[in-house]
Amino acid sequence: MSMESTRSDNSAKRSFNNNRNSASSNSNSNSNPSNKKKKTSQKTLGVAWGSSSRSSSRSSFNNSPFSNFGSYMVEKNRKLQNQFEAEASTSSHGGSGSVKPIFDGVSIFVDGFTVPSSQELRGYMLKHGGRFENYFSRRCVTHIICSNLPDSKIKNLRSFSRGLPVVKPAWILESVAANKLLSWVPYQLDQLANNQPKLSSFFTLKRSSVSNSASTHAPCQVNPEAEDSSLKVGTSGDTYFSEVSAPFEHHKQISRESDDLVNENSNASLVEETTSSSGKPCEVAMGIPSNIDAKDESSVKNDLQSSHYQPAALVSSNCINNQNIKGSPSSMVSEPSNQSHSTLGDPNFVENYFKNSRLHFIGTWRNRYRKRFHSLSNGFNCTSSNIKASPLKTAIMHVDMDCFFVSVVIRNHPELRDKPVAVCHSDNTKGTAEISSANYPARDYGIKAGMFVRNAKALCPHLVIFPYNFEAYEEVADQFYNVLHKHGNKVQAVSCDEAFLDVTDSEGDPQLLASKIRKEIFETTRCTASVGIAGNMLMARLATRTAKPDGQCYIPPERVDDYLSQLPIKTLPGIGHVLEEKLKKQDVWTCGQLRMISKDSLQKDFGLKTGEMLWNYSRGLDNRLVGLIQGISGSPSASLPHSLGVVVTGILFVWYPLGCASYSIEYFESWQGKFGRHRNIDVWGILPHCLIWCIWHERNARSFEGCELSLREFKSFFLHILFDWSVESKSVGAEVNWGVRFKDVKDAQNFLSNLCKEVSLRLQGCGVEGRTFTLKIKKRRKDAEEPIKYMGHGDCENLSHSTTVPVATDDVEVLQRITKQLFGSFHLDVKEIRGVGLQVSRLESTENSKQGLERNSLKSWLNSASARTEELCKNNYVAKESSNQGCEGEGDETLGQLCGNSVGLSIQMDSNTSNGAACLNEVSVLPPLCHLDMGVLKSLPPELFSELNEIYGGKLVDLIAKNKGKTENINHTLSAYSHEKIEGAMKEGQAALLSSMVFQNEIPVENKAEQHIAKEVPSVSGAESFVPASGLKKTDLIPSSLSQVDTAVLQQLPEELKVDILEHLPAHRMQVFSPNVLLDPTEIPLEALGTKTAENNSGSKDFVLDNNLWVGIPPQWVDKFKVSNCLILNILAEMYYKSGSTGNLSPILQRISSVSLHQLDAFQDGWDEAMYILCELLKQYIKLKIELDIEEIYVCFRLLRRFAMKSELFIQVYNIVSPYLQALVGEKYGGNLHMSLKD
Amino acid sequence: MDRKDNQSPQGETARILVEFLVGAITSIVFLKGAYPSGAFERRRRYMNLMVQRARHPRLRDYIHSVVFGLLPIIQKGMVERAAVIFFNTDGIPVERFVFKLAVNLSYGSKVEEADLEFPLRSFLIKLSVSESLTKVLPRNYRWEITAYFRSLPEASANKDVEQWIPTDTRQWGQPPLLTPIKSMSSEPLCVQLYIEHPSLSEPKP
């Protein structure tokens, strides 16, 4: 290593350090030097040293003119500078020496893509006396110019920019234009604008970095009360306080207030606005003793003591005493046979396993509760939606049974009430069974849930252990909820022993009500319950914590702050071990300390959602609503997260897959992941993956196929994918990971078949069937020893295989067969197996499949152009209507035969299919939304359906009745007189219909229009004539329902979004805003309709002959196709809107290809017309584009050719249009388009 | 930059187009591997896009002078097509990259550079990934730039025009196969780029 190279390395290094120092010293105003920062700089130092020694070891460098890379760069930069200066001297205005150039002293570095380009910017700098750096260097560069920054750079802005301003290129341009150097501040990169450091983060970050020097001064400033606690707390507390106080010492400008502030810090209630609340300390000091009653006080104090080292303060003292007692073996328990507790030798193992599983009980309890109290909760659904919660005095009650699992078991053993009792599935003294619940006397011994029986017995030798008694639990839980439902109609079940009540609307003092409820619970169940009352769910739950056992606690809003300030963070719901550790690393132990951290930095450190939650919870804010059912607008709790949820659902349109929830709050509930519908939770989970996938897909399309989706197209593409994915988002299954030991294959098979029984029962219990089966096996690792936990699974490899069957099933035998196959594919030694699980996914609702639905109900929400889906959709609709009328068979029949139906079907069949077609027509008149809504309607449970019906003022039932009436009529003759009105309506539909159907049915329909007959019309036309009638009927139902669902959401959206959505659904908008135009077709005079029909018929004949299919916005074909009765044409029209209404065909075709190709042929009637019109459409399009955009045509035809491989119809269309295209290309370009099939 | 201000919209369009053609033709030549890749260097040159630039002064000058020679003719809207043609040793075209140009002569308002450059930029992006659409060229091929005029310009009109000589490039007997690469159409200017290959029925040389 030569001396020279080392030195140059060093000097380079040193200059870097200088840079840093100067950065931090001169940019105090706009930067926040943090300790994090310091760390990174140290790291780079180390790396630099390493690299310097590495480079010097490469001796070859010594021979080259540059001793190493560093000196090469120095030289290069020097040359570049010289070049630049030379150029500058020639190109600048130069001569006007008296005027100082604009960019004197400015030196820019351009990062990444900019408009104008870096070269142009360089030109400006040349001309106007600035400097342009090719390589970033803190020393020379004064401004960084860029239009866009990647996220990683934003996050590490400081290390990227070294504190230099990051400015948009517009700054330079406008400075040139103004002929003077403008301030760069307004041109700062937008991405950074919200990244400005805040005062609060400045404090919090500064704190730890400067604390050491000041620590000695600190304790004396702590006020007496805090000292009191910190004495017991010990050193950790001391250092904390000193750290907090330190920064204030260092900042003289606020030193006068520092005493107050420190006081406040000691109470850990410093809020972001530090200086504003100097009066607070005294309030806090007296708050604790006076506001909380004696018992509470002690517990709060305990918290205070323990908050810095152990959350379970109540127990800890006892714990120490008792831990010394060595447990003597208890005589109460006899040695149970090992055999019966493993799969060995117990044929009913699986059954017993689940019988004895508490988790299983809790899991299945929810279903039970739903069934039992469904009617109740439904009942208040309707009523409570009208109730506006008054914002000022909401009262939420949290009712929790005291050690439920124990107290229920011992309610018949009063003598055990004060003895330590625990519940556990096994009471083997040496056992490694885990205690699932212990009563308060037992907890005094330090016994906790999750503890091994062995250890518990050691702590408390006379601990009485009971097995579970699930019947009793069910009974008590039911009684418990009966009491709750008696007293409030807004009940939200959390678990079998825990619930929230919204008692805002109840008369009287909530505290009195609480005691009443507790009394009743005790009387009926002989078990005690505790109640917490507060203004929201969070505080109510926390209050219960204070209230326990067998007590009640009310936290009025004004005491929330005090209550929280000393609360250990661990107590807050949602803060688990991991989060707690992270927070403790930041010296946050209590909610009060948590409150000092700004929301921004919380969100930065813990993510948006968690950060938000922490911020809210530490302030006692909680916007969840009991029972999830509330009016949305005007609700006081509809705060930021709520509106955020609304915006997000709005932007992404995710309310489609989320389903029919009419209240946006529900979306958000499920977003939080704890409440709300399961499926919605899943959808939220899928969302990010789906988005990324779509972006990736689009990126590929852009770079490899050269086609781009507009933003709007992309949105709906994304939605489609989301729908598809959310179909598979749910699974039902069972897993056994304890006690699994097999002797031989027969054992294993036996076990599997029992597992299948269980899974099958669960499937049936949930009312679903599944198509994908996943068998998971835990296999002992080779070197794994026998697990510590008795019969546990120990260290295992997780293996899984899965298979998908075409038809969904919940049948035990099928399950067993599949599982056996799957198991065989593992090729395992059964003795190594430690756990087995069977998961069933791709679930479909049993009810739906009974009606003939072949797919999951979600699938039918796909408003895609998939012919299959649409067909299903309409079939379902038909099926539903008919089944609601009590004739399910009819629907079934339709469904089964629809695909293959042709001309010669029965009248009834025809009428049904045409009903389906009617749906279609109306679908194309309406926006795609109505598909969704139909799907929603269809998949609604009866109760919900009736509820909806009520909301829509009974229209739903009317509709069904009407349809029903019509269907019946068609079977007889058509009595014209009574149905005059319907016919009137129908004629309008016909007109529209025929305009695209051209040939076949013109004559009979025209006859009808003129004569108003309805005698022996040929069945086909008769059926068709009803199409429009029902179709039109539906149009007036569905949009109105949508407008109700949607506008609620729409109103909350920002203006641009609203416009965007409305544009996206133009037809829908029409429905919403001018309901009278279409809603009452029956009112239109018959004569008028007659003439219209005639007009349209004549029009329909010649519109294809004109060259005007592509004229107008939207092009004429869109409207024609919309009202066509051909599925494929409908789809095209629909896709026109979905693809962003660009007027180009290729995005439309592309959308179709992205949905489903192989089902395009799934229709029979109107084949010829469809083909003819498609060909015409394409020909006109070719004519339109051939001169200017051969690429577009090329893309379209390649897509068509791809369709042709899957679809009969498109083969024909392609074969007809292709020669025409080639001829035209030959004419214009003197060649043929290259369309070979090889690619 | 200053000359921009006193130019007709067509002049401005033509200037942008010519600059684009230089970049595009260089890209094509690079794409086809006519010269070792060392003969090119990547430059952030055209509309901030990394494009290839010929290193050899003669190659660079050839492309530059030929295309800039087109400038006055394009301005008058007389160039219908400009093609980069690759020949085999017999002088029979193997592959032709054709730019079909249409300058709107009646376009009156000011041309915004960015409005044209962004669509044109996408040509270059598309070109850089189009290698799979092209054919493998035979050994010892040659290439040239050919322009198809709507009418022959008067020889005296401009010095640059004189550089253009009528060519007797051999044509294919059969209509060729077209593979469109990219199209743009805007009010002042429409450009289409496609590749022509001899039709399959073309007698093999």
Side-chain angles (χ1 to χ4, degrees):
Chain A
M1 179 200 281
S2 74
M3 241 359 242
E4 190 57 41
S5 70
T6 334
R7 195 175 309 143
S8 73
D9 261 318
N10 275 342
S11 66
K13 200 61 250 157
R14 199 173 303 130
S15 70
F16 173 73
N17 274 338
N18 289 342
N19 291 342
R20 268 219 74 263
N21 291 342
S22 62
S24 53
S25 62
N26 71 6
S27 58
N28 256 346
S29 55
N30 67 340
S31 63
N32 52 350
S34 63
N35 53 342
K36 216 189 252 170
K37 181 62 205 155
K38 205 173 238 172
K39 253 181 236 160
T40 57
S41 84
Q42 275 162 1
K43 208 187 279 169
T44 42
L45 192 69
V47 171
W49 271 110
S51 68
S52 82
S53 60
R54 207 183 311 131
S55 72
S56 58
S57 69
R58 273 180 288 170
S59 57
S60 63
F61 255 118
N62 292 341
N63 304 331
S64 68
F66 307 109
S67 55
N68 60 16
F69 186 70
S71 62
Y72 163 75
M73 281 307 288
V74 169
E75 184 63 15
K76 181 172 182 183
N77 275 326
R78 193 184 57 76
K79 276 191 176 173
L80 281 167
Q81 261 171 40
N82 289 344
Q83 272 175 23
F84 186 85
E85 272 155 24
E87 267 185 83
S89 60
T90 55
S91 74
S92 67
H93 301 306
S96 56
S98 59
V99 186
K100 220 170 119 191
I102 303 172
F103 293 117
D104 190 34
V106 172
S107 174
I108 61 163
F109 169 74
V110 179
D111 187 81
F113 176 82
T114 52
V115 179
S117 72
S118 60
Q119 290 304 308
E120 280 173 70
L121 291 174
R122 181 170 181 267
Y124 287 123
M125 297 312 279
L126 272 174
K127 225 189 266 180
H128 300 283
R131 301 194 58 85
F132 180 91
E133 293 294 327
N134 294 62
Y135 294 94
F136 181 76
S137 141
R138 179 64 182 83
R139 212 170 0 168
C140 315
V141 174
T142 58
H143 294 80
I144 297 171
I145 309 291
C146 66
S147 340
N148 217 338
L149 272 187
D151 203 36
S152 60
K153 283 189 180 166
I154 297 274
K155 277 193 180 138
N156 286 319
L157 185 73
R158 292 270 315 146
S159 63
F160 157 68
S161 69
R162 302 278 165 75
L164 292 173
V166 180
V167 190
K168 287 186 283 192
W171 174 58
I172 295 194
L173 297 183
E174 285 173 34
S175 291
V176 171
N179 204 23
K180 62 172 186 187
L181 190 64
L182 302 171
S183 159
W184 56 267
V185 179
Y187 299 97
Q188 213 190 356
L189 201 62
D190 297 332
Q191 285 163 291
L192 307 175
N194 48 12
N195 244 7
Q196 288 290 309
K198 297 227 170 71
L199 187 64
S200 56
S201 58
F202 182 68
F203 280 136
T204 47
L205 291 167
K206 194 88 182 175
R207 186 179 70 204
S208 49
S209 57
V210 269
S211 61
N212 293 341
S213 60
S215 60
T216 46
H217 308 281
C220 58
Q221 289 183 357
V222 175
N223 81 343
E225 205 215 305
E227 216 166 70
D228 212 30
S229 64
S230 60
L231 264 179
K232 292 169 195 163
V233 169
T235 50
S236 68
D238 279 347
T239 52
Y240 167 70
F241 288 122
S242 65
E243 275 173 19
V244 172
S245 61
F248 303 108
E249 295 239 294
H250 279 253
H251 292 270
K252 295 298 175 196
Q253 74 272 22
I254 50 165
S255 63
R256 287 199 50 194
E257 287 162 318
S258 70
D259 279 12
D260 291 340
L261 287 169
V262 173
N263 283 345
E264 202 166 69
N265 275 335
S266 69
N267 286 317
S269 58
L270 179 63
V271 208
E272 265 185 78
E273 301 81 16
T274 21
T275 49
S276 67
S277 51
S278 52
K280 242 185 172 178
C282 51
E283 206 181 289
V284 175
M286 47 191 290
I288 292 172
S290 64
N291 289 353
I292 306 175
D293 48 44
K295 190 168 58 178
D296 291 347
E297 187 190 338
S298 69
S299 78
V300 169
K301 270 193 178 160
N302 269 336
D303 290 346
L304 208 64
Q305 288 170 19
S306 61
S307 61
H308 296 284
Y309 54 96
Q310 196 182 19
L314 271 170
V315 192
S316 61
S317 57
N318 293 325
C319 195
I320 294 157
N321 292 335
N322 292 320
Q323 236 146 20
N324 297 327
I325 305 167
K326 286 283 163 203
S328 55
S330 156
S331 55
M332 277 178 66
V333 194
S334 64
E335 187 90 349
S337 85
N338 287 343
Q339 295 286 310
S340 66
H341 282 298
S342 82
T343 54
L344 282 174
D346 182 359
N348 294 327
F349 178 81
V350 174
E351 208 178 313
N352 289 337
Y353 182 89
F354 289 111
K355 226 179 239 168
N356 290 317
S357 160
R358 184 178 67 110
L359 291 176
H360 176 68
F361 171 75
I362 295 173
T364 49
W365 169 83
R366 185 167 280 274
N367 286 339
R368 200 180 129 72
Y369 170 77
R370 285 225 182 95
K371 272 186 194 148
R372 194 176 156 87
F373 292 99
H374 194 86
S375 49
L376 273 171
S377 53
N378 233 10
F380 84 83
N381 263 359
C382 297
T383 53
S384 69
S385 57
N386 297 327
I387 299 168
K388 292 268 179 217
S390 79
L392 291 173
K393 40 175 186 177
T394 44
I396 308 295
M397 207 180 266
H398 179 243
V399 190
D400 192 5
M401 306 279 285
D402 299 323
C403 27
F404 180 72
F405 285 88
V406 177
S407 16
V408 170
V409 174
I410 59 170
R411 65 198 166 128
N412 295 326
H413 301 273
E415 73 280 3
L416 287 175
R417 182 139 295 158
D418 301 320
K419 303 245 164 55
V421 181
V423 170
C424 174
H425 63 83
S426 145
D427 50 2
N428 182 351
T429 326
K430 291 177 199 156
T432 49
E434 284 157 22
I435 292 198
S436 69
S437 178
N439 67 354
Y440 281 92
R443 288 183 203 185
D444 288 344
Y445 286 93
I447 291 165
K448 282 183 267 180
M451 199 178 247
F452 285 171
V453 171
R454 185 170 54 186
N455 301 350
K457 283 279 186 182
L459 290 175
C460 171
H462 55 280
L463 180 71
V464 181
I465 292 177
F466 274 98
Y468 293 114
N469 181 355
F470 290 107
E471 290 85 40
Y473 296 147
E474 276 180 16
E475 184 193 335
V476 172
D478 289 349
Q479 288 169 343
F480 171 67
Y481 275 100
N482 276 335
V483 173
L484 295 189
H485 279 288
K486 207 162 82 189
H487 288 283
N489 51 10
K490 289 185 192 172
V491 179
Q492 181 186 325
V494 178
S495 167
C496 50
D497 61 338
E498 189 184 350
F500 284 102
L501 266 80
D502 187 340
V503 291
T504 309
D505 306 320
S506 325
E507 296 105 38
D509 186 3
Q511 300 210 53
L512 289 179
L513 183 65
S515 2
K516 204 170 144 202
I517 289 174
R518 283 179 52 225
K519 193 166 154 249
E520 275 184 43
I521 289 174
F522 183 72
E523 279 164 3
T524 42
T525 66
R526 280 172 292 145
C527 299
T528 57
S530 305
V531 176
I533 309 155
N536 60 37
M537 286 165 79
L538 169 73
M539 291 314 293
R541 176 170 257 167
L542 291 175
T544 315
R545 195 177 145 273
T546 312
K548 270 180 177 289
D550 193 16
Q552 63 188 61
C553 173
Y554 172 57
I555 304 184
E558 63 272 14
R559 270 192 34 217
V560 166
D561 274 353
D562 305 347
Y563 185 87
L564 284 174
S565 63
Q566 289 302 323
L567 200 70
I569 43 169
K570 183 78 193 297
T571 332
L572 293 178
I575 298 190
H577 275 298
V578 181
L579 204 51
E580 189 195 10
E581 284 310 310
K582 276 190 200 160
L583 284 167
K584 281 185 178 168
K585 271 192 199 132
Q586 297 191 6
D587 256 331
V588 175
W589 302 79
T590 64
C591 288
Q593 290 165 336
L594 188 58
R595 259 185 263 169
M596 286 188 290
I597 303 176
S598 77
K599 191 192 263 185
D600 282 347
S601 54
L602 280 177
Q603 292 186 330
K604 211 171 85 206
D605 292 346
F606 303 106
L608 220 57
K609 186 181 125 191
T610 314
E612 170 101 39
M613 180 199 82
L614 288 175
W615 194 85
N616 280 338
Y617 281 11
S618 64
R619 284 161 180 72
L621 304 177
D622 181 9
N623 42 32
R624 291 170 299 164
L625 297 183
V626 172
L628 311 177
I629 306 138
Q630 297 284 319
I632 31 161
S633 48
S635 162
S637 40
S639 59
L640 179 71
H642 169 221
S643 36
L644 194 69
V646 172
V647 170
V648 171
T649 52
I651 292 169
L652 298 175
F653 290 91
V654 282
W655 62 71
Y656 294 178
L658 288 177
C660 57
S662 8
Y663 306 100
S664 55
I665 190 76
E666 284 188 36
Y667 302 132
F668 191 64
E669 288 293 346
S670 49
W671 189 11
Q672 290 176 320
K674 291 172 198 137
F675 307 95
R677 293 151 196 258
H678 250 290
R679 198 196 49 239
N680 290 1
I681 294 170
D682 292 339
V683 170
W684 282 117
I686 302 168
L687 212 56
H689 306 280
C690 184
L691 193 59
I692 296 297
W693 189 88
C694 291
I695 291 171
W696 184 77
H697 182 273
E698 171 66 6
R699 173 249 170 211
N700 284 348
R702 283 186 188 199
S703 46
F704 300 127
E705 290 171 32
C707 25
E708 302 186 2
L709 296 178
S710 71
L711 191 59
R712 232 179 281 159
E713 291 172 75
F714 181 75
K715 256 188 217 165
S716 45
F717 173 70
F718 161 69
L719 264 188
H720 282 298
I721 304 291
L722 189 60
F723 276 126
D724 263 340
W725 287 13
S726 46
V727 172
E728 295 166 39
S729 61
K730 210 179 157 188
S731 71
V732 168
E735 210 166 330
V736 182
N737 293 329
W738 183 86
V740 178
R741 300 290 187 278
F742 300 127
K743 241 187 356 247
D744 51 26
V745 181
K746 216 178 122 201
D747 251 8
Q749 297 290 11
N750 203 8
F751 175 84
L752 281 178
S753 72
N754 285 329
L755 188 66
C756 290
K757 267 183 214 157
E758 172 66 28
V759 172
S760 161
L761 284 176
R762 287 190 186 186
L763 283 171
Q764 284 159 10
C766 300
V768 291
E769 299 176 342
R771 282 177 55 211
T772 297
F773 302 87
T774 309
L775 187 65
K776 299 180 190 162
I777 302 271
K778 277 191 186 298
K779 179 183 166 241
R780 188 177 74 100
R781 279 192 203 284
K782 271 196 186 121
D783 46 352
E785 293 170 9
E786 197 54 27
I788 311 157
K789 181 178 156 110
Y790 172 69
M791 280 293 175
H793 58 74
D795 188 14
C796 285
E797 282 175 74
N798 293 314
L799 310 167
S800 79
H801 278 208
S802 70
T803 186
T804 304
V805 296
V807 182
T809 183
D810 59 357
D811 185 72
V812 190
E813 282 174 26
V814 180
L815 279 181
Q816 285 171 345
R817 190 169 44 77
I818 292 167
T819 315
K820 210 168 160 184
Q821 279 169 3
L822 281 173
F823 186 74
S825 61
F826 280 101
H827 303 295
L828 278 179
D829 179 4
V830 292
K831 293 194 182 92
E832 302 286 285
I833 295 174
R834 291 292 176 268
V836 183
L838 179 63
Q839 215 71 36
V840 185
S841 47
R842 297 213 193 186
L843 302 180
E844 298 166 10
S845 156
T846 320
E847 277 169 51
N848 284 332
S849 53
K850 270 178 193 152
Q851 284 180 15
L853 180 62
E854 290 173 32
R855 295 207 181 177
N856 185 296
S857 56
L858 245 185
K859 188 80 183 169
S860 61
W861 276 332
L862 257 172
N863 59 341
S864 73
S866 143
R868 184 100 194 104
T869 321
E870 287 213 9
E871 200 160 73
L872 275 173
C873 198
K874 67 186 183 187
N875 287 344
N876 291 336
Y877 199 54
V878 173
K880 175 158 175 70
E881 282 165 10
S882 39
S883 66
N884 271 327
Q885 294 294 320
C887 35
E888 289 187 14
E890 193 182 305
D892 275 345
E893 240 178 337
T894 326
L895 207 116
Q897 295 171 23
L898 195 98
C899 294
N901 81 343
S902 53
V903 196
L905 285 176
S906 71
I907 292 177
Q908 198 198 16
M909 282 318 289
D910 270 350
S911 72
N912 272 333
T913 42
S914 56
N915 251 343
C919 293
L920 260 184
N921 279 338
E922 150 255 314
V923 158
S924 52
V925 171
L926 291 169
L929 257 178
C930 66
H931 278 272
L932 295 174
D933 219 46
M934 261 161 37
V936 173
L937 275 184
K938 178 219 72 233
S939 58
L940 288 178
E943 304 93 329
L944 265 180
F945 178 82
S946 61
E947 189 191 327
L948 266 181
N949 186 37
E950 223 169 282
I951 295 172
Y952 305 144
K955 280 183 188 169
L956 224 63
V957 169
D958 282 359
L959 163 85
I960 285 156
K962 273 179 193 161
N963 277 334
K964 171 73 176 165
K966 276 174 250 155
T967 324
E968 275 171 6
N969 269 322
I970 222 165
N971 287 332
H972 311 300
T973 56
L974 299 166
S975 81
Y977 192 67
S978 65
H979 285 278
E980 216 165 41
K981 278 194 172 180
I982 293 170
E983 282 206 23
M986 137 195 124
K987 250 154 256 148
E988 209 204 20
Q990 273 169 15
L993 240 177
L994 287 170
S995 62
S996 60
M997 271 187 23
V998 204
F999 304 116
Q1000 200 180 331
N1001 294 313
E1002 247 173 278
I1003 296 159
V1005 172
E1006 253 164 5
N1007 281 344
K1008 278 186 52 152
E1010 279 158 23
Q1011 301 166 13
H1012 309 299
I1013 322 177
K1015 279 196 182 167
E1016 288 289 328
V1017 198
S1019 66
V1020 176
S1021 71
E1024 246 149 25
S1025 66
F1026 270 88
V1027 170
S1030 51
L1032 284 170
K1033 274 294 163 215
K1034 273 165 214 153
T1035 53
D1036 78 351
L1037 163 74
I1038 284 147
S1040 73
S1041 75
L1042 276 173
S1043 66
Q1044 288 196 13
V1045 174
D1046 254 358
T1047 45
V1049 180
L1050 274 179
Q1051 276 160 9
Q1052 300 219 347
L1053 293 175
E1055 203 54 45
E1056 317 101 85
L1057 260 180
K1058 227 188 274 183
V1059 172
D1060 195 19
I1061 291 162
L1062 290 177
E1063 271 178 13
H1064 190 63
L1065 310 163
H1068 178 222
R1069 175 184 48 187
M1070 193 171 72
Q1071 298 289 348
V1072 173
F1073 293 117
S1074 56
N1076 292 332
V1077 177
L1078 271 180
L1079 295 195
D1080 281 322
T1082 47
E1083 311 258 315
I1084 301 171
L1086 218 58
E1087 290 79 11
L1089 275 175
T1091 52
K1092 247 191 193 169
T1093 315
E1095 268 169 30
N1096 270 333
N1097 278 344
S1098 58
S1100 70
K1101 267 177 268 173
D1102 52 24
F1103 89 88
V1104 285
L1105 305 176
D1106 298 342
N1107 280 334
N1108 56 5
L1109 276 180
W1110 283 95
V1111 175
I1113 298 173
Q1116 289 195 4
W1117 65 267
V1118 177
D1119 291 328
K1120 311 257 185 208
F1121 282 18
K1122 239 197 276 186
V1123 291
S1124 154
N1125 68 337
C1126 270
L1127 186 57
I1128 181 66
L1129 301 187
N1130 298 150
I1131 294 171
L1132 276 170
E1134 192 184 308
M1135 285 307 167
Y1136 170 78
Y1137 290 108
K1138 280 193 196 159
S1139 65
S1141 313
T1142 55
N1144 273 1
L1145 188 61
S1146 62
I1148 299 171
L1149 294 177
Q1150 191 139 33
R1151 291 209 53 84
I1152 292 181
S1153 73
S1154 74
V1155 178
S1156 75
L1157 277 174
H1158 51 289
Q1159 284 140 358
L1160 291 176
D1161 284 340
F1163 68 100
Q1164 295 288 325
D1165 38 315
W1167 178 287
D1168 289 337
E1169 298 97 75
M1171 204 174 67
Y1172 179 69
I1173 286 182
L1174 273 179
C1175 290
E1176 197 58 36
L1177 180 78
L1178 288 168
K1179 282 180 185 173
Q1180 290 187 18
Y1181 191 64
I1182 293 167
K1183 228 182 258 174
L1184 187 73
K1185 292 276 178 185
I1186 188 79
E1187 285 272 19
L1188 299 177
D1189 203 347
I1190 198 177
E1191 185 202 2
E1192 162 75 11
I1193 294 179
Y1194 187 62
V1195 171
C1196 289
F1197 271 78
R1198 279 162 59 110
L1199 283 167
L1200 276 181
R1201 203 188 58 212
R1202 224 191 286 171
F1203 298 166
M1205 287 188 237
K1206 306 254 171 85
S1207 154
E1208 268 302 314
L1209 177 76
F1210 277 100
I1211 291 179
Q1212 296 191 24
V1213 170
Y1214 183 75
N1215 288 341
I1216 292 173
V1217 183
S1218 190
Y1220 176 82
L1221 169 72
Q1222 295 294 16
L1224 218 57
V1225 172
E1227 189 183 309
K1228 300 277 177 194
Y1229 292 86
N1232 291 320
L1233 271 187
H1234 182 67
M1235 298 294 270
S1236 82
L1237 279 166
K1238 71 170 192 281
D1239 49 353
Chain B
M1 298 270 167
D2 296 330
R3 69 192 156 120
K4 233 194 231 175
D5 304 326
N6 46 24
Q7 262 195 345
S8 67
Q10 282 71 37
E12 177 70 6
T13 310
R15 189 187 62 78
I16 295 168
L17 181 61
V18 163
E19 272 173 22
F20 157 74
L21 283 175
V22 171
I25 290 173
T26 314
S27 294
I28 291 171
V29 175
F30 171 79
L31 183 78
K32 294 308 297 175
Y35 303 96
S37 58
F40 298 90
E41 56 190 356
R42 271 156 58 81
R43 279 297 180 90
R44 190 189 294 270
R45 172 74 0 143
Y46 188 76
M47 297 163 233
N48 235 333
L49 189 74
M50 281 299 201
V51 291
Q52 303 295 334
R53 177 170 172 275
R55 262 191 181 153
H56 196 285
R58 283 190 56 196
L59 175 59
R60 198 164 61 214
D61 286 347
Y62 170 67
I63 298 176
H64 199 272
S65 62
V66 162
V67 177
F68 270 83
L70 280 177
L71 183 63
I73 318 173
I74 290 177
Q75 205 169 330
K76 295 193 195 103
M78 293 209 312
V79 180
E80 189 195 1
R81 277 176 288 167
V84 180
I85 307 176
F86 292 86
F87 306 98
N88 63 11
T89 41
D90 303 326
I92 299 170
V94 182
E95 189 167 52
R96 293 150 48 103
F97 287 79
V98 183
F99 294 91
K100 197 168 189 293
L101 311 173
V103 178
N104 185 353
L105 292 175
S106 56
Y107 186 73
S109 42
K110 191 175 180 313
V111 176
E112 281 299 329
E113 196 164 353
D115 291 346
L116 289 182
E117 285 192 345
F118 271 93
L120 289 173
R121 199 168 169 259
S122 60
F123 277 74
L124 296 174
I125 296 172
K126 187 73 188 277
L127 255 182
S128 64
V129 295
S130 301
E131 200 184 345
S132 63
L133 299 175
T134 65
K135 274 195 172 168
V136 180
L137 294 176
R139 287 165 55 87
N140 297 326
Y141 61 87
R142 297 182 300 115
W143 67 277
E144 67 176 30
I145 302 171
T146 307
Y148 296 82
F149 295 163
R150 289 182 214 276
S151 63
L152 280 177
E154 312 94 79
S156 61
N158 194 310
K159 186 172 70 69
D160 288 335
V161 179
E162 285 166 19
Q163 290 183 352
W164 288 88
I165 48 162
T167 172
D168 52 354
T169 311
R170 288 173 66 181
Q171 301 291 335
W172 289 307
Q174 301 284 325
L177 284 175
L178 309 184
T179 311
I181 302 280
K182 194 78 196 169
S183 299
M184 72 159 275
S185 62
S186 64
E187 262 194 88
L189 173 70
C190 295
V191 183
Q192 303 200 59
L193 171 62
Y194 53 89
I195 310 177
E196 289 183 356
H197 290 127
S199 118
L200 299 174
S201 54
E202 184 80 15
K204 290 277 180 267

